[in-house]
Amino acid sequence: MDGSIVRITLQDFMTYKKVVFDAGPNINLIIGPNGAGKSTIVCAMLLGLGGKPKLLGRTVALNSYIRTSCKIARIEIELKNSRGDNYVITRTITVDGKSSWQLGLTAATQKQVEDLVSKLNIQVYNLCQFLPQDRVADFSKMNPQQLLENTERCIEVEMVNMMEKKTLLQKVEELKQKRAWLLHNSMQSRVMKMKVDKKNATKYSAMHEKRYEPMERIIEAAKAKVKETERSLGAVNAEAKRKLAALTDMLESIEKTEDLIKENRQDCERKIQAEQLRQKEVSYLLQQINKLQNDLKGSTKESVNALRTELDVVKKQMNEKTDCISRLRHEREKHRSDLENITHKIGLQKEEQRKIQDVANQRLELLRRKHKDVYDAVMSLRENKNKFHHHIYDPMMLEINVTNPSDAKYIEKMIPHRDLLAFTCEDKEDMNSLVSIFRDQKNLKINVVHSGSEHRPFSSFKPNVPISNLRHLGFYTYVVDMITAPEPIMKYLCRMYHIHNIPVGDSSTFTCSDQVPGSFNYFFSDKHVFQVRCSKYSGEKSTNTSEIPDPFYLAISTNVQLLQQVQDKLIDLNGQKQQKISTLEDIQKQMHQIEVEMEEMRSRKHSLMERMEQLRTVEVKLSAKQRQWENLEQEKLDPELEKAKCRADNQLLVLKLTDQNVQMIKLFNHYDQSLIENQILHQELENVRNETTKREMESRHLLQKWNEAKMMALNIEEKLHEAEIELKRLFEEAKAMTGGVSPDDVEFEKFRSVFLGFGNTEEEVNREIQETKAKADCLRDANEMVIQDYEARKSQIVSLTADIQIREKESETLKEEMARISGLWLPPLRKLMSQFNKKYGECFARLGCVGEVTLFTGDDEKDYEQYGLNIKVKFRDGEQLQELTQRLQSGGERAVATAIYLISLQEITHVPFCCVDEINQGMDAINERMIFELMVTTSKRIGSAQYFFLTPKLLPSLLYDHTVVVRCIMNGAGALSSDDWNISDILRKKARLSRKQL
């Protein structure tokens, strides 16, 4: 129901530093000790909804509600809104006794808050809805008139809402009527403007058509002139090319003649220079031949043979060394290949070792996929570890390693998932800082445990019974010996879950489980877990056996046995590798020694070959020089004879060159005349082409303008046609909305006067429609019959009031009229009271008592101001029904009567919620149980109000329903924040304590 409470958040309010209270949908049982715990919630609800402190009867000073040592207190209440975002009311109280308000994120006044609360039918001053502990007694103090007035306030607000909603819906219809005529008028203006645009576009198109028509003739004449000029230019160009070709041929002939003259001169000079060089080279060759002949005289044939013999001996020795090196090189390559194979195997084993040991990353990836909040906290912690005093350990699932992965199922069965995902702190200050950063600031859902130096060391946790004494039962180890983890985690697990005293057995343990000593109330076989309990009364032992589920978090663990095998293989391979390296070093040393000896032999061989080569070189050079001298002698010539021959050839070539120059001058003059004619025609052709291009561009531009003008006119005509159709449709639609009346009709004046109160633009009217609809939607759906009945009554009341003023002296007639009027509302009221009385009596009958609610009319039934409600109750046989007062009944009896009244009232009223504080105080167990069952039954019906039932205790074995939410209020210096409560953990700890006691 709109207005029901979703959440209450308190900060530094009374005794709470911070608490978040998420309200359930139907019944909220708020359990806590007597005192400030529950009163805090009641005060917060009252003050946060606009109430005044004095209503609680505690204090009138606002600053008294601020928590000690704090400067401000804040209350935030979230109320349900089914039509949009929930309403959030925030009140901040300061030490100077002032307070400020917010609605959502916007500052507000107390009046705005009270208006919202009133609209939601939340009546903080009505004891029929809001009954704090200090005001419970006031309920029985109300006189009949006050009780009737408060009951009616819970019911008759619906009538006001229905009337207001009807008015708002009528306004929406009137706004829609004005919007329809605004749309019509706007479209009519558009049509008139489009008609003017169409006329202008037609004129514009005709103008451009007239300008375009003569352009085609002008362009055709220009193109003809271009063709004629191009033909003349072609003829001149052909003649110029012919003349240029003849001129080019003559130039080439002249160049050839000049080249021949140059070549004759150069050839003569080259021959003379060549003869001079030949003479010098012959002289030099003769000197070299004489020197080489002298060098050969000092060498004999026997010395050459001796050198050749010595050289053969050296080559034989080098071949032997080469064979030895080849043998060693082959042996070295074999060992290198073996070394590469060993190195490859070492790499494979190291990769296998890395895969076995890469448990942390695999578990971290599992954490990222399944628990994003915890994963984000781990990543953030690793980047900010320097902010804490001591080391903070990652969640236990990342820190614990199971020696044998097949044993992971035992560990996960022992350790709850909450602790497997919990961070471990050695320092309490670090623990508080971690919770503040991740939960409060980053809103991450994490768990944190403390295991510091003040706790027992891990080494002090020893099994009570040595495992050797249990082997005959199949036990082979304790759970603690299956895992490794940091010291704080190990001692936490021993302290909390006693893993050092929980043995693990094989399949034989299952068959002889009844022989396990009674000191073990928790142990494992290979596939089952056993929980043994012993009755405190009979001493009888009962055993609960269940299968061990497969592990999830610790299934990824390091296989220590497989890891040891890999490490042993790595040690063996590394030994083989070192042996191969040593062998290769020995081979390399032998090869180096042979290379040194080979180098000496190469040097000796080189020296012998150089000496033999020198002798052969001298002989070859002498033979070559002699042949060269003979060739030079054959090339001998006479310089004077060559010069005379060159002069005679050049004289003939000069005469030929003179004739060619005369012919070239004539050809050049003819070609120059053709070039002048070409330039003249070329310039004329360019001018004609430019003129033609200019005319074509003008034509294309005019044609484009004409086409654009025609298209624009066509578009305007199409849009005008569509607009005229739309104008006709809007006119008919607007006329229909105003009952067939148009602005031209006289009857339209009534609509025009109504429209004056609305906006003048379509946007303003649309906004008013949305705002009015929103206001109407916030109200309850109206019942037309109720509204008609109400309007009829209202009209009758006005008419009767006027009639009374006119007929003041006619009392008899007035009495008859009053009787008629009372007949309109008094029977429904009596019927309502009858229904209420029936429900009230049925509830009392279930308690074995009697209760009734009757309409109190006083001594004079015509004195309507005296009308009220009487509550009468009877709790014991032999007594008479007595009116409920603060003196006749005990406190417990008054509480029962008040509770039943509030429960019965829910059948005929609609309020968002009811708040009742400690109304069960003073009730006996039977009445308290019956009241609770009545409340649960009533709350299950559709449209029931939300209950807040505050109590210091509850009876055991009450009848609960899924609509009931239990809230336990724990306050004090050592109390946990509401964020730290986890009912599953509390139940598990309770179970562990019970096992320890057994």
Side-chain angles (χ1 to χ4, degrees):
M1 184 185 296
D2 283 357
S4 60
I5 293 180
V6 178
R7 180 191 298 264
I8 304 174
T9 303
L10 310 180
Q11 186 170 354
D12 297 328
F13 185 82
M14 289 183 72
T15 58
Y16 283 119
K17 183 174 183 181
K18 184 177 181 182
V19 65
V20 179
F21 183 88
D22 292 316
N26 290 70
I27 300 180
N28 291 268
L29 298 178
I30 306 174
I31 307 172
N34 287 318
K38 303 185 304 304
S39 298
T40 300
I41 304 296
V42 179
C43 293
M45 292 173 66
L46 177 61
L47 297 181
L49 294 172
K52 297 179 175 58
K54 63 183 180 180
L55 290 177
L56 287 172
R58 294 178 180 269
T59 178
V60 295
L62 274 175
N63 54 13
S64 300
Y65 294 98
I66 302 177
R67 189 170 180 263
T68 305
S69 76
C70 295
K71 296 182 179 180
I72 63 172
R74 185 173 287 106
I75 312 163
E76 182 180 284
I77 298 181
E78 182 178 352
L79 302 175
K80 182 179 178 183
N81 178 19
S82 61
R83 297 174 178 84
D85 295 338
N86 287 345
Y87 306 109
V88 179
I89 301 174
T90 305
R91 185 175 191 176
T92 303
I93 303 171
T94 59
V95 292
D96 57 1
K98 298 179 179 179
S99 66
S100 59
W101 300 83
Q102 278 184 288
L103 287 178
L105 299 177
T106 306
T109 63
Q110 183 171 355
K111 179 64 167 59
Q112 291 174 316
V113 174
E114 290 174 349
D115 290 345
L116 172 63
V117 170
S118 176
K119 183 181 74 172
L120 296 173
N121 197 23
I122 299 173
Q123 303 168 13
V124 294
Y125 305 104
N126 191 345
L127 295 183
C128 292
Q129 182 179 351
F130 200 108
L131 192 60
Q133 178 184 358
D134 304 88
R135 302 293 305 279
V136 172
D138 293 345
F139 187 89
S140 58
K141 294 179 183 179
M142 288 191 294
N143 59 36
Q145 291 75 28
Q146 292 172 331
L147 185 60
L148 177 61
E149 179 183 356
N150 284 335
T151 303
E152 288 177 339
R153 283 174 57 198
C154 290
I155 302 171
E156 288 185 359
V157 70
E158 185 174 1
M159 182 63 69
V160 177
N161 289 342
M162 288 189 290
M163 293 297 296
E164 183 179 356
K165 184 168 184 177
K166 183 174 181 180
T167 302
L168 291 173
L169 292 176
Q170 177 62 32
K171 183 179 179 181
V172 169
E173 290 301 317
E174 293 171 350
L175 284 166
K176 288 181 178 178
Q177 291 172 346
K178 179 166 185 177
R179 181 176 64 183
W181 283 110
L182 285 175
L183 290 172
H184 169 265
N185 295 339
S186 176
M187 180 56 69
Q188 190 175 42
S189 300
R190 286 180 58 193
V191 169
M192 298 301 296
K193 182 177 181 301
M194 291 171 72
K195 288 181 178 179
V196 174
D197 292 344
K198 178 186 176 183
K199 183 177 180 181
N200 293 335
T202 303
K203 291 181 179 180
Y204 187 68
S205 176
M207 178 189 69
H208 282 286
E209 182 182 8
K210 185 177 181 180
R211 292 177 61 186
Y212 174 74
E213 287 178 351
M215 292 305 299
E216 289 295 329
R217 297 190 298 274
I218 297 173
I219 292 171
E220 289 299 326
K223 287 182 178 180
K225 188 174 182 180
V226 169
K227 290 181 180 179
E228 182 181 354
T229 306
E230 287 176 345
R231 284 195 298 271
S232 300
L233 183 60
V236 172
N237 286 340
E239 181 64 21
K241 287 181 181 179
R242 184 184 63 76
K243 294 177 180 179
L244 178 62
L247 183 60
T248 302
D249 293 341
M250 182 57 65
L251 285 173
E252 290 178 355
S253 298
I254 292 173
E255 288 177 355
K256 288 180 180 180
T257 303
E258 289 176 345
D259 290 341
L260 287 174
I261 294 172
K262 290 178 182 180
E263 287 176 1
N264 283 339
R265 290 175 181 172
Q266 292 173 356
D267 187 49
C268 180
E269 290 175 357
R270 281 197 301 271
K271 289 179 178 179
I272 293 171
Q273 291 175 357
E275 177 60 22
Q276 292 173 352
L277 290 175
R278 188 194 68 77
Q279 292 175 0
K280 290 180 181 179
E281 190 171 355
V282 167
S283 176
Y284 180 69
L285 281 173
L286 290 174
Q287 292 177 3
Q288 289 181 328
I289 290 170
N290 291 333
K291 184 179 182 302
L292 290 172
Q293 287 174 347
N294 292 332
D295 291 340
L296 283 175
K297 290 178 181 180
S299 300
T300 63
K301 188 174 184 181
E302 286 76 16
S303 62
V304 174
N305 291 335
L307 288 173
R308 185 175 289 111
T309 301
E310 187 178 355
L311 180 61
D312 290 340
V313 173
V314 173
K315 286 183 177 179
K316 182 179 180 181
Q317 292 175 348
M318 289 182 67
N319 289 335
E320 292 174 355
K321 295 296 183 182
T322 301
D323 292 340
C324 185
I325 287 177
S326 298
R327 178 179 56 78
L328 290 173
R329 186 177 289 115
H330 177 73
E331 186 177 351
R332 182 186 63 181
E333 291 304 319
K334 179 178 178 303
H335 286 294
R336 278 183 177 175
S337 177
D338 293 342
L339 180 61
E340 289 178 357
N341 289 335
I342 293 172
T343 304
H344 179 66
K345 290 179 180 178
I346 289 173
L348 293 177
Q349 292 300 317
K350 286 184 176 179
E351 178 64 19
E352 183 68 18
Q353 183 183 37
R354 186 193 66 75
K355 289 180 179 178
I356 295 173
Q357 293 175 335
D358 190 21
V359 173
N361 289 334
Q362 295 180 48
R363 289 186 183 174
L364 191 62
E365 175 61 19
L366 176 64
L367 189 65
R368 185 190 66 79
R369 288 186 286 104
K370 297 298 183 181
H371 302 282
K372 188 65 167 57
D373 280 8
V374 181
Y375 173 81
D376 291 343
V378 170
M379 295 295 100
S380 177
L381 176 62
R382 292 181 178 179
E383 295 176 358
N384 299 279
K385 284 195 173 182
N386 57 340
K387 296 182 180 179
F388 300 94
H389 299 92
H390 293 78
H391 181 74
I392 296 178
Y393 295 92
D394 286 341
M396 294 185 189
M397 66 167 288
L398 300 179
E399 299 285 0
I400 294 175
N401 183 63
V402 185
T403 306
N404 187 345
S406 62
D407 295 335
K409 59 183 180 180
Y410 304 114
I411 312 305
E412 282 203 29
K413 181 63 179 176
M414 284 299 305
I415 306 173
H417 291 174
R418 172 184 173 85
D419 279 357
L420 283 174
L421 299 173
F423 294 85
T424 304
C425 295
E426 297 181 272
D427 181 76
K428 287 187 176 180
E429 186 176 346
D430 286 346
M431 179 178 176
N432 294 331
S433 299
L434 190 70
V435 170
S436 175
I437 292 172
F438 289 149
R439 288 187 183 171
D440 300 339
Q441 299 178 17
K442 298 188 176 183
N443 198 26
L444 298 177
K445 297 179 181 179
I446 64 165
N447 300 323
V448 184
V449 300
H450 175 242
S451 181
S453 57
E454 62 268 30
H455 297 112
R456 291 172 56 189
F458 173 57
S459 58
S460 66
F461 291 96
K462 302 295 182 183
N464 295 334
V465 180
I467 195 64
S468 58
N469 296 353
L470 301 172
R471 295 193 186 279
H472 65 285
L473 297 174
F475 293 112
Y476 57 89
T477 187
Y478 283 99
V479 172
V480 70
D481 297 324
M482 291 180 167
I483 63 173
T484 58
E487 164 86 8
I489 294 178
M490 292 299 289
K491 67 182 183 181
Y492 174 82
L493 296 177
C494 290
R495 187 176 78 252
M496 298 300 297
Y497 305 112
H498 309 286
I499 62 175
H500 59 292
N501 273 324
I502 297 178
V504 180
D506 53 21
S507 58
S508 63
T509 306
F510 183 80
T511 59
C512 59
S513 60
D514 55 344
Q515 301 177 26
V516 176
S519 58
F520 293 102
N521 54 20
Y522 203 98
F523 60 89
F524 292 98
S525 67
D526 58 338
K527 296 181 179 179
H528 295 80
V529 59
F530 295 82
Q531 293 178 278
V532 183
R533 291 184 175 87
C534 186
S535 173
K536 293 183 179 179
Y537 305 101
S538 64
E540 183 179 354
K541 186 168 67 173
S542 62
T543 303
N544 181 23
T545 306
S546 61
E547 288 192 2
I548 306 172
D550 293 333
F552 179 77
Y553 295 100
L554 301 178
I556 307 169
S557 297
T558 301
N559 191 326
V560 178
Q561 183 177 0
L562 180 58
L563 179 62
Q564 186 61 43
Q565 292 176 2
V566 173
Q567 290 174 343
D568 292 344
K569 190 173 293 185
L570 274 173
I571 294 172
D572 180 57
L573 288 171
N574 283 322
Q576 295 178 28
K577 180 179 178 181
Q578 290 301 321
Q579 184 178 1
K580 288 295 180 182
I581 292 174
S582 177
T583 303
L584 283 170
E585 289 176 351
D586 292 341
I587 293 173
Q588 192 65 35
K589 288 178 182 179
Q590 295 177 38
M591 292 179 66
H592 178 69
Q593 181 62 33
I594 295 173
E595 285 291 342
V596 171
E597 296 173 359
M598 283 285 289
E599 189 61 33
E600 293 175 357
M601 293 178 184
R602 289 191 191 98
S603 178
R604 176 63 180 161
K605 176 185 175 183
H606 183 67
S607 176
L608 292 171
M609 292 181 68
E610 277 186 347
R611 289 168 62 186
M612 292 180 66
E613 188 64 28
Q614 287 174 359
L615 293 176
R616 284 195 296 268
T617 301
V618 172
E619 292 175 351
V620 172
K621 284 183 178 180
L622 179 59
S623 175
K625 295 298 181 183
Q626 289 174 343
R627 286 194 301 271
Q628 189 177 359
W629 174 77
E630 292 173 356
N631 292 333
L632 288 174
E633 284 298 319
Q634 293 176 2
E635 296 174 358
K636 186 177 180 180
L637 55 82
D638 185 0
E640 293 300 328
L641 183 62
E642 291 296 327
K643 290 179 181 179
K645 183 181 179 182
C646 178
R647 282 194 296 272
D649 292 338
N650 284 344
Q651 286 177 356
L652 296 174
L653 291 172
V654 168
L655 292 174
K656 182 180 179 181
L657 181 61
T658 301
D659 293 337
Q660 290 175 337
N661 283 327
V662 173
Q663 295 178 14
M664 183 189 71
I665 290 171
K666 293 180 180 179
L667 292 172
F668 184 79
N669 291 333
H670 293 315
Y671 177 69
D672 188 51
Q673 183 64 33
S674 297
L675 287 178
I676 292 171
E677 294 178 3
N678 177 276
Q679 289 295 327
I680 293 171
L681 289 173
H682 186 77
Q683 183 64 42
E684 184 178 353
L685 178 62
E686 184 176 357
N687 292 338
V688 174
R689 283 176 175 172
N690 289 340
E691 182 66 21
T692 304
T693 302
K694 180 179 178 182
R695 293 299 182 182
E696 287 178 341
M697 289 179 64
E698 284 185 32
S699 175
R700 285 195 296 269
H701 180 70
L702 290 173
L703 179 60
Q704 182 181 359
K705 288 290 186 181
W706 184 24
N707 290 334
E708 289 177 354
K710 289 192 293 184
M711 185 59 67
M712 182 174 65
L714 182 61
N715 289 339
I716 291 175
E717 185 174 0
E718 290 178 355
K719 290 181 180 179
L720 176 60
H721 180 68
E722 294 174 358
E724 289 174 340
I725 294 174
E726 179 66 12
L727 176 63
K728 184 177 180 181
R729 186 190 66 80
L730 290 175
F731 177 79
E732 296 298 332
E733 186 177 295
K735 187 176 179 181
M737 291 191 70
T738 52
V741 179
S742 69
D744 297 333
D745 300 328
V746 177
E747 294 85 352
F748 194 80
E749 189 62 32
K750 62 180 180 180
F751 295 104
R752 189 175 283 110
S753 60
V754 173
F755 293 165
L756 290 175
F758 302 149
N760 295 321
T761 64
E762 182 182 347
E763 290 76 10
E764 292 175 352
V765 172
N766 283 333
R767 185 166 58 251
E768 290 182 18
I769 290 174
Q770 292 175 357
E771 292 175 355
T772 307
K773 279 185 175 180
K775 291 179 180 179
D777 290 341
C778 290
L779 301 174
R780 295 181 181 274
D781 293 335
N783 186 327
E784 284 298 324
M785 296 304 297
V786 175
I787 294 176
Q788 292 176 7
D789 189 20
Y790 175 79
E791 288 178 346
R793 295 179 189 179
K794 182 178 178 181
S795 177
Q796 291 170 354
I797 291 172
V798 173
S799 175
L800 290 173
T801 301
D803 195 34
I804 289 172
Q805 292 175 352
I806 295 173
R807 299 182 171 186
E808 197 170 14
K809 296 181 181 181
E810 300 176 1
S811 58
E812 292 297 327
T813 306
L814 218 148
K815 288 180 182 180
E816 294 177 1
E817 189 68 18
M818 288 175 62
R820 186 180 69 81
I821 294 173
S822 64
L824 296 176
W825 62 268
L826 189 56
L829 180 60
R830 293 187 185 278
K831 181 179 180 181
L832 180 66
M833 289 299 102
S834 175
Q835 295 173 351
F836 190 30
N837 178 54
K838 180 180 179 182
K839 182 64 180 177
Y840 194 70
E842 289 174 354
C843 293
F844 257 95
R846 294 183 62 180
L847 300 179
C849 305
V850 179
E852 68 176 22
V853 179
T854 58
L855 181 66
F856 175 76
T857 59
D859 296 333
D860 184 3
E861 287 191 2
K862 301 296 188 294
D863 189 0
Y864 302 125
E865 291 184 354
Q866 298 299 318
Y867 274 33
L869 291 181
N870 269 342
I871 301 177
K872 294 183 179 180
V873 295
K874 184 179 76 171
F875 288 94
R876 285 167 291 276
D877 293 336
E879 291 183 354
Q880 298 295 324
L881 280 171
Q882 295 178 330
E883 185 178 352
L884 179 67
T885 66
Q886 61 179 344
R887 291 180 296 274
L888 294 177
Q889 290 83 19
S890 66
E893 291 171 343
R894 291 198 302 272
V896 170
T898 302
I900 293 179
Y901 188 89
L902 295 180
I903 292 172
S904 302
L905 189 61
Q906 298 310 305
E907 297 290 337
I908 58 173
T909 185
H910 295 282
V911 295
F913 65 87
C914 290
C915 178
V916 182
D917 186 11
E918 297 193 11
I919 199 169
N920 57 342
Q921 290 290 79
M923 294 185 187
D924 57 41
I926 296 175
N927 288 338
E928 184 176 352
R929 187 178 302 277
M930 293 297 293
I931 290 296
F932 182 82
E933 291 179 357
L934 281 173
M935 183 169 58
V936 171
T937 302
T938 303
S939 69
K940 290 170 63 175
R941 69 178 178 83
I942 298 175
S944 173
Q946 181 186 37
Y947 272 89
F948 289 88
F949 182 45
L950 296 94
T951 176
K953 48 86 178 178
L954 280 177
L955 295 174
S957 303
L958 287 174
L959 176 63
Y960 292 97
D961 188 78
H962 70 280
T963 61
V964 179
V965 177
V966 180
R967 309 287 184 181
C968 295
I969 301 298
M970 297 297 177
N971 200 11
L976 290 176
S977 169
S978 62
D979 296 335
D980 295 331
W981 280 94
N982 188 308
I983 191 64
S984 299
D985 286 350
I986 295 172
L987 294 175
R988 282 197 293 269
K989 291 178 180 177
K990 174 62 178 176
R992 286 199 299 272
L993 291 174
S994 299
R995 289 199 300 269
K996 289 179 66 176
Q997 294 173 356
L998 291 175

